[in-house]
Amino acid sequence: MSGTMEQLATLVLSQAEWSQNLEHASESQHLEMPLQSRSSTWGVPFSWFILVYANDRMEVVEANGQILTVRIQIPLTAARSRAERTLKMLAAMAPDLDLLTDLTDLLGWLEEFGEVGMLELDYGPVANRVHPDDSPADVHMGLECLAEGDFTGAAAAYRRLANRWMPIRQLARAN
């Protein structure tokens, strides 16, 4: 480490503490694990909202009154479980939905990882346009309605979701 970060580290830790922590960190098995990511420009794919709930750990990053991003973190095991449960329901109730294909692909990606890990949904710069975001709740409400055979309720939830994200996705085409 060099430059400003080294100066900051010496303010917080003694050289002995720094060396000890650095040695401990370099012995970690997790250093070998690569960071895996999926990205989407000008929006969050609706299938991703299936994996998160309002009570999951959320971090809102702000600066100068602007929301820079919102991150929602969940354990990989919970994400897989939510995806699997929803896939079963969609296969039975709405096998023609694109959401079924999207979620199948997403679950396949999640299954590439071990049991230990976290999944993070990071809104990036679009967070400032949607936070606080009811999209996860709308997706879950729509799926619940679908499971109960309430197609009107499912359509209303989808309409709320689409109305929230359509203006943001249109920015990709703006001149």
Side-chain angles (χ1 to χ4, degrees):
M1 181 176 352
S2 62
T4 307
M5 291 305 290
E6 184 176 14
Q7 292 171 351
L8 288 172
T10 58
L11 292 173
V12 177
L13 299 171
S14 69
Q15 186 61 42
E17 290 174 309
W18 175 253
S19 297
Q20 182 183 9
N21 286 328
L22 190 59
E23 182 179 326
H24 176 70
S26 65
E27 294 170 358
S28 173
Q29 310 167 18
H30 301 293
L31 289 177
E32 304 299 319
M33 295 174 65
L35 178 65
Q36 302 289 330
S37 67
R38 285 187 144 198
S39 61
S40 176
T41 307
W42 295 108
V44 175
F46 296 160
S47 62
W48 296 7
F49 291 122
I50 291 168
L51 307 178
V52 297
Y53 284 87
N55 61 344
D56 289 328
R57 184 178 184 277
M58 181 184 297
E59 174 187 10
V60 179
V61 180
E62 298 180 75
N64 300 322
Q66 288 276 97
I67 296 174
L68 302 178
T69 191
V70 173
R71 297 182 188 116
I72 305 171
Q73 294 104 12
I74 58 168
L76 277 172
T77 53
R80 280 193 207 104
S81 173
R82 293 169 183 179
E84 290 165 353
R85 189 173 53 245
T86 303
L87 276 173
K88 288 177 187 173
M89 186 278 296
L90 285 174
M93 297 299 293
D96 297 330
L97 278 184
D98 289 342
L99 186 60
L100 179 65
T101 305
D102 294 347
L103 189 57
T104 300
D105 292 344
L106 185 56
L107 180 59
W109 180 72
L110 290 172
E111 288 174 338
E112 293 177 16
F113 307 107
E115 293 296 313
V116 179
M118 294 295 288
L119 176 75
E120 180 176 87
L121 173 59
D122 187 332
Y123 281 68
V126 299
N128 196 48
R129 297 183 176 274
V130 296
H131 186 74
D133 185 22
D134 292 328
S135 297
D138 285 336
V139 166
H140 292 289
M141 178 60 70
L143 292 169
E144 186 179 313
C145 289
L146 200 58
E148 295 171 357
D150 177 6
F151 299 112
T152 303
Y158 176 76
R159 192 173 319 112
R160 286 190 303 274
L161 190 63
N163 286 342
R164 183 176 307 112
W165 286 95
M166 190 61 66
I168 294 166
R169 290 185 173 150
Q170 288 173 341
L171 290 173
R173 295 176 191 84
N175 224 344

